[in-house]
C-alpha cells in the first residue's frame, strides 16, 4: 500500500504564475490536510478537506489560495499569482474515517518544495 | 490548544538513550500527547501517542506523569539515522479531525 503521494516534489514558478500542488491520500483515507512549512519552522495547518467538502480552511490565506478534494482524483492546492513569500514546503497528510474514540493519526507525504523566483 | 515547550536542540552519541522532555502546562482533560519525527526534506512521521502513564512501541517510549503537565519521549540506543527534528503536539482527539499544531521542535543530532 503506497503512502501519501505528492507531486511534483519540486516546483519553480516566477512571480505572478500559478502553482498547482497535488496530493493522493493513502488508500482508504477520506480526510486530507494541507500544511505549510517555512525554513527552520514547524508546520502550519492550512486546510482540512473530505471528498467534495472543505471542512476547515482557517489556516488558508484569504486570497490567492484555494484547495479542493474532488470525488475522483487527487486533492489540489492551488496558489494563484505566486509571490516570493509563498516559497515553502507544502505537506499533505491523510487519515482514515474514524469511529468515535479512535486515534486520529495523520500520515504525511514527502512534500512539494515551491520556489518562487 | 495547549502550548508546548521543548528544547531547541540536543546532542547525543550512537548507542545512548535520549530523553526529550516537553512541557504542556495548560493541557486539557481531553488532550492527547503525540510525537512526530521529521527528517530533512521529508514529511513528519508519527512516532507515538499517549494520554497518561507509559506507552511503548517498537520505536520509542512515552512517559507521562500523573499531572500530565509534561511528557518525555525516550529513544533507546540511538543511531545516526535518528538525527531528526522531534515535535511534541498536544490536542483534543476529536474523532475524524485533529488540526495538528507544530512548534519548532527539538533538533536531535546523533554523532558517532
Amino acid at each position: 500500500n503506497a503512502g501519501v503521494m505528492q507531486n511534483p516534489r519540486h516546483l519553480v514558478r516566477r512571480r505572478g504564475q500559478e502553482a498547482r500542488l497535488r496530493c493522493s491520500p493513502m488508500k482508504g483515507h477520506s480526510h486530507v490536510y494541507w500544511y505549510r512549512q517555512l525554513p527552520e519552522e514547524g508546520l502550519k495547518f492550512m486546510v482540512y478537506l473530505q471528498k467534495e467538502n472543505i471542512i476547515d480552511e482557517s489556516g488558508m490565506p484569504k486570497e490567492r489560495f484555494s484547495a479542493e478534494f474532488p470525488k475522483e482524483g487527487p486533492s489540489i492546492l492551488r496558489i494563484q499569482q505566486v509571490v516570493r513569500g509563498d516559497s515553502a514546503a507544502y505537506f499533505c497528510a491523510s487519515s482514515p474515517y474514524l469511529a468515535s474514540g479512535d486515534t486520529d493519526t495523520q500520515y504525511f507525504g514527502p512534500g512539494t518544495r515551491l520556489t518562487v523566483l | 490548544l495547549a502550548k508546548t515547550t521543548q528544547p531547541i536542540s540536543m546532542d547525543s552519541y550512537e548507542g545512548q538513550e535520549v530523553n526529550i522532555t516537553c512541557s504542556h502546562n495548560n493541557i486539557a482533560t481531553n488532550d492527547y500527547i503525540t510525537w512526530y519525527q521529521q527528517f530533512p526534506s521529508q514529511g513528519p512521521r508519527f512516532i507515538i501517542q499517549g494520554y497518561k502513564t507509559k506507552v511503548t512501541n517498537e520505536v520509542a517510549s512515552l512517559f507521562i506523569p500523573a499531572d500530565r503537565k509534561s511528557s518525555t519521549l525516550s529513544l533507546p540506543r540511538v543511531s545516526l539515522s535518528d538525527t531528526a527534528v522531534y515535535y511534541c503536539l498536544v490536542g483534543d482527539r476529536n474523532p475524524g479531525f485533529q488540526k495538528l499544531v507544530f512548534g519548532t521542535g527539538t533538533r536531535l543530532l546523533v554523532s558517532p
Side-chain angles (χ1 to χ4, degrees):
Chain A
N1 182 18
V4 177
M5 300 179 68
Q6 292 187 247
N7 66 81
R9 293 293 309 276
H10 300 274
L11 182 62
V12 179
R13 286 288 179 265
R14 297 190 180 280
R15 282 179 296 171
Q17 292 183 319
E18 178 181 285
R20 279 180 174 251
L21 289 61
R22 287 176 290 277
C23 168
S24 296
M26 288 180 69
K27 186 176 181 181
H29 287 194
S30 57
H31 304 235
V32 166
Y33 317 79
W34 286 92
Y35 294 82
R36 176 165 63 177
Q37 185 175 36
L38 297 173
E40 305 303 317
E41 294 187 11
L43 284 72
K44 297 289 190 291
F45 169 82
M46 298 181 74
V47 62
Y48 161 51
L49 311 103
Q50 295 180 18
K51 288 282 188 180
E52 301 183 284
N53 280 308
I54 297 175
I55 307 302
D56 184 328
E57 56 182 347
S58 58
M60 288 275 273
K62 298 297 182 203
E63 298 178 347
R64 302 186 298 108
F65 285 72
S66 63
E68 63 176 7
F69 188 16
K71 186 176 181 180
E72 300 291 337
S75 175
I76 305 288
L77 179 67
R78 182 182 178 205
I79 311 173
Q80 296 178 289
Q81 300 175 325
V82 296
V83 300
R84 290 218 173 106
D86 296 333
S87 295
Y90 292 82
F91 291 97
C92 166
S94 73
S95 67
Y97 172 78
L98 299 170
S100 176
D102 286 349
T103 300
D104 180 2
T105 299
Q106 294 184 20
Y107 297 86
F108 284 82
T112 293
R113 272 145 194 85
L114 172 66
T115 301
V116 179
L117 302 177
Chain B
L1 294 170
K3 177 179 167 55
T4 61
T5 303
Q6 49 183 127
I8 294 174
S9 64
M10 294 183 68
D11 295 319
S12 182
Y13 294 97
E14 282 188 294
Q16 289 187 331
E17 178 184 76
V18 171
N19 296 308
I20 306 174
T21 297
C22 178
S23 297
H24 27 79
N25 292 320
N26 297 323
I27 190 168
T29 302
N30 293 333
D31 285 345
Y32 278 70
I33 300 153
T34 310
W35 286 81
Y36 277 81
Q37 173 192 56
Q38 186 179 25
F39 297 113
S41 301
Q42 294 187 26
R45 181 175 74 106
F46 172 88
I47 300 176
I48 197 166
Q49 183 179 79
Y51 183 80
K52 62 180 179 181
T53 63
K54 177 183 175 182
V55 179
T56 297
N57 60 23
E58 65 277 6
V59 177
S61 294
L62 179 59
F63 298 93
I64 305 168
D67 65 7
R68 305 201 324 122
K69 293 185 183 299
S70 67
S71 59
T72 300
L73 174 72
S74 181
L75 304 172
R77 296 181 298 281
V78 294
S79 63
L80 297 177
S81 62
D82 291 316
T83 293
V85 179
Y86 292 82
Y87 294 98
C88 165
L89 290 79
V90 172
D92 188 356
R93 201 179 66 173
N94 182 19
F97 173 49
Q98 187 178 68
K99 182 191 302 185
L100 299 181
V101 179
F102 289 81
T104 51
T106 296
R107 192 173 299 273
L108 174 65
L109 175 63
V110 180
S111 300

